Amino acid sequence: MSLRAAASAAVLAAVLALGAEPSAQPAAGVRWAWSGGVTARSATVKARVSRGGIPVRLTLVRANSAITMAASYEATADPHGIASFDLQALASATRYEYRVDAGGSAVVTGTFRTFGEGPWSFRLAFSACAETGSASGVFDAIRDARPDLFVHTGDIHYEDITGNDPERFRRAFDAVMASPTQSRLYRSVPIAYTWDDHDFGGNGSDASSAARPSALAVYRQFVPHYPLNADGAAGIHQAFFIGRVRVVMTDSRSERSPSRGAPRTRTMLGAAQLRWLKDELSAAASSPLVIWVNTVPWIAKPGSGSDNWGAYALEREAIATHIDALGLTSRLLMLSGDAHMTAIDDGTHSNYATGSARGNRGFVVMHAAPLDRKTSEKGGPYSHGVSRERGQFGLVDVSDDGRRLTVELSGRSQSGALIPRMRLTLTCAGGECGIRPSGIR
């Protein structure tokens, strides 16, 4: 892959085809593209073209800019038609438009905004659980909310693949991208995606799933992501900054042991990922806010066989105690999916730290789902109650002026309207975050 900057008439003519509205998905040539792994200075775009081994070009320009310089990146599609573009030396807090072509008339265009450095205000959307290839209008509602990042907390498809069959995983991603509403969203907003059970293996799947090798391999091949394997583990856990906020995404499937058996040997994360998570939390303890993306319900009664942290109560207690010892509890926000509901807990029910006084507040937990699956209720109780409707997502609005950081959480319906009671406000300053008394609305 090589980078060359040019201001030639040929490159600029190609760039002029870019618009604020990403193009419709073509039938041939470049099949689809999406962006992710975004930082203040870099991003990744992955595209699938009609066949492997062919040259693919990505042309990148600043959106709405009078600057006439353009950057051109080249890659060769792998045997399965995936071209990956590692975009570096970008300007921070800047919207870019890109055009991907493979030498034909069929092209895909998209856009993303790099993150700001230091104090920076942003909007994050998150949700989970969609039928394979769903064309639900909720994806347009998320896009219309104009987030800087969409965090997908799992079940991007519902194929329930139980065998070691990478081609089935590839077809599943193709089906997702064939949806006009999903492809519009993923070309308009960068993604940070971690799986849950139905897009990793079968229902309730764990590390024993025969699909595990294919799931891991195809994720790395098809999904734009942040750096993986810094700790040597095989999972897809990853972390990044968005402004001054540290985001930590864990993998609750590929390293998980079965939820039955001796309680002291059960693990949701596996030994290596658990060490990684504790190290990440320790390193992030000075951040004004830490967001932990954990797909499955944290608030749950202890008990074997459950598909939540209740079956892994000893590991949950160890993590909660570590968070408490770091003094991070008030500055930690957990975002979750899996449960087909939207719910908020203000910390009333989330405290599992050893030795913590009864009644001490834990960290804030918010669930947002389902995108279009049938509804359900899992875990709890939750201080703000539960909303069970199809087509739900969450918004996290962060306002940061360098002295004070304010976080507005809100649950949204398929139309983008506020869900009654699903709102909470955190104000962070001086190393502590407090909930505004009017947080429940």
Side-chain angles (χ1 to χ4, degrees), residues 144-234:
D144 290 344
R146 298 181 63 82
D148 294 288
L149 180 69
F150 177 51
V151 175
H152 200 305
T153 57
D155 294 340
I156 199 169
H157 62 76
Y158 258 73
E159 291 302 279
D160 288 304
I161 300 166
T162 56
N164 188 19
D165 187 348
E167 190 54 36
R168 284 198 63 192
F169 280 97
R170 295 185 188 107
R171 290 198 301 267
F173 280 112
D174 281 341
V176 169
M177 294 302 189
S179 159
T181 57
Q182 290 196 64
S183 60
R184 276 196 297 268
L185 172 63
Y186 300 142
R187 293 192 313 275
S188 302
V189 180
I191 196 168
Y193 156 58
T194 184
W195 52 42
D196 199 40
D197 50 349
H198 300 283
D199 50 351
F200 167 73
N203 184 42
S205 52
D206 55 40
S208 66
S209 171
R212 182 176 184 271
S214 292
L216 288 165
V218 176
Y219 180 97
R220 285 163 172 76
Q221 181 186 26
F222 274 53
V223 178
H225 54 73
Y226 293 92
L228 304 174
N229 303 108
D231 59 341

Side-chain angles (χ1 to χ4, degrees), residues 362-439:
F363 49 78
V364 172
V365 176
M366 183 174 181
H367 284 263
L371 287 160
D372 81 336
R373 289 282 297 179
K374 65 182 181 180
T375 68
S376 67
E377 185 171 341
K378 297 181 182 180
Y382 302 97
S383 63
H384 287 45
V386 170
S387 171
R388 291 182 57 177
E389 299 289 340
R390 290 194 179 203
Q392 299 186 133
F393 62 98
L395 291 179
V396 181
D397 287 295
V398 173
S399 177
D400 185 4
D401 64 8
R403 297 181 301 104
R404 183 186 300 268
L405 185 148
T406 301
V407 186
E408 295 274 357
L409 305 178
S410 60
R412 301 288 169 154
S413 70
Q414 184 166 331
S415 69
L418 177 68
I419 299 171
R421 292 180 59 84
M422 290 299 138
R423 189 168 184 174
L424 182 143
T425 302
L426 286 169
T427 301
C428 306
E432 295 290 334
C433 294
I435 297 171
R436 288 184 182 171
S438 58

Side-chain angles (χ1 to χ4, degrees), residues 230-246:
D231 59 341
I236 61 168
H237 45 289
Q238 51 202 280
F240 56 94
F241 276 104
I242 178 166
R244 294 196 297 156
V245 178
R246 186 65 168 171

Side-chain angles (χ1 to χ4, degrees), residues 57-347:
R57 175 177 293 181
L58 181 145
T59 306
L60 185 71
V61 295
R62 292 192 187 195
N64 305 317
S65 173
I67 299 174
T68 57
M69 295 295 290
S72 178
Y73 295 74
E74 293 181 351
T76 299
D78 74 9
H80 300 284
I82 295 294
S84 184
F85 298 93
D86 182 20
L87 313 180
Q88 297 289 333
L90 306 180
S92 64
T94 299
R95 181 161 297 280
Y96 285 90
E97 294 170 347
Y98 62 86
R99 170 191 173 101
V100 184
D101 72 77
S105 59
V107 300
V108 165
T109 65
T111 183
F112 62 85
R113 183 163 75 137
T114 54
F115 301 156
E117 295 177 312
W120 190 60
S121 300
F122 62 89
R123 166 171 280 186
L124 177 156
F126 74 104
S127 192
C129 308
E131 291 283 359
T132 304
S134 167
S136 170
V138 69
F139 298 103
D140 281 336
I142 295 169
R143 177 171 166 263
D144 290 344
R146 298 181 63 82
D148 294 288
L149 180 69
F150 177 51
V151 175
H152 200 305
T153 57
D155 294 340
I156 199 169
H157 62 76
Y158 258 73
E159 291 302 279
D160 288 304
I161 300 166
T162 56
N164 188 19
D165 187 348
E167 190 54 36
R168 284 198 63 192
F169 280 97
R170 295 185 188 107
R171 290 198 301 267
F173 280 112
D174 281 341
V176 169
M177 294 302 189
S179 159
T181 57
Q182 290 196 64
S183 60
R184 276 196 297 268
L185 172 63
Y186 300 142
R187 293 192 313 275
S188 302
V189 180
I191 196 168
Y193 156 58
T194 184
W195 52 42
D196 199 40
D197 50 349
H198 300 283
D199 50 351
F200 167 73
N203 184 42
S205 52
D206 55 40
S208 66
S209 171
R212 182 176 184 271
S214 292
L216 288 165
V218 176
Y219 180 97
R220 285 163 172 76
Q221 181 186 26
F222 274 53
V223 178
H225 54 73
Y226 293 92
L228 304 174
N229 303 108
D231 59 341
I236 61 168
H237 45 289
Q238 51 202 280
F240 56 94
F241 276 104
I242 178 166
R244 294 196 297 156
V245 178
R246 186 65 168 171
V247 181
V248 180
M249 296 175 58
T250 47
D251 171 355
S252 63
R253 295 294 170 181
S254 74
E255 306 299 306
R256 182 199 292 205
S257 63
S259 60
R260 299 187 184 276
R264 292 194 174 279
T265 63
R266 290 184 213 145
T267 175
M268 177 78 75
L269 303 179
Q273 186 182 184
L274 178 60
R275 287 193 300 272
W276 173 86
L277 174 61
K278 288 184 174 181
D279 289 345
E280 277 290 334
L281 293 172
S282 296
S286 60
S287 299
L289 180 72
V290 177
I291 296 176
W292 177 10
V293 179
N294 155 63
T295 60
V296 299
W298 173 263
I299 302 171
K301 294 179 180 178
S304 66
S306 58
D307 191 18
N308 55 47
W309 278 94
Y312 304 87
L314 292 177
E315 187 168 87
R316 176 177 63 181
E317 181 181 292
I319 295 170
T321 301
H322 182 69
I323 291 168
D324 185 66
L326 292 171
L328 192 56
T329 302
S330 77
R331 291 179 286 119
L332 182 70
L333 165 63
M334 177 178 283
L335 303 182
S336 296
D338 184 58
H340 297 191
M341 65 184 188
T342 295
I344 296 176
D345 187 76
D346 61 8

